[in-house]
Amino acid sequence: MDHLAVANWMFMCVNSGEDDDQPDPPKPVPRPGVADEDEERGGSSTQEGAAEVVSPGALARFFG
């Protein structure tokens, strides 16, 4: 999914006019149990190196 989003973003950048604003790069799809970059910068409540437990409901929502 992330590769497709980046490919679409590159296509839009290459095919836009020179004077047009460039679109923002896509953000990666959030994965259950993986902290976002924003969360890592702000600090998290879990200890470093500790694995976060992902609930079955969160997995079901992620995989749709």
Side-chain angles (χ1 to χ4, degrees), residues 25-62:
K27 293 185 179 184
V29 175
R31 269 100 173 146
V34 178
D36 291 339
E37 289 180 3
D38 296 334
E39 292 176 8
E40 289 176 2
R41 288 188 203 121
S44 65
S45 60
T46 60
Q47 293 179 351
E48 190 173 325
E52 182 179 338
V53 177
V54 180
S55 70
L59 285 174
R61 282 192 305 275
F62 177 75

Side-chain angles (χ1 to χ4, degrees), residues 1-12 25-31:
M1 189 67 182
D2 292 332
H3 292 271
L4 179 61
V6 169
N8 287 334
W9 171 73
M10 284 186 200
F11 181 82
M12 289 188 315
K27 293 185 179 184
V29 175
R31 269 100 173 146

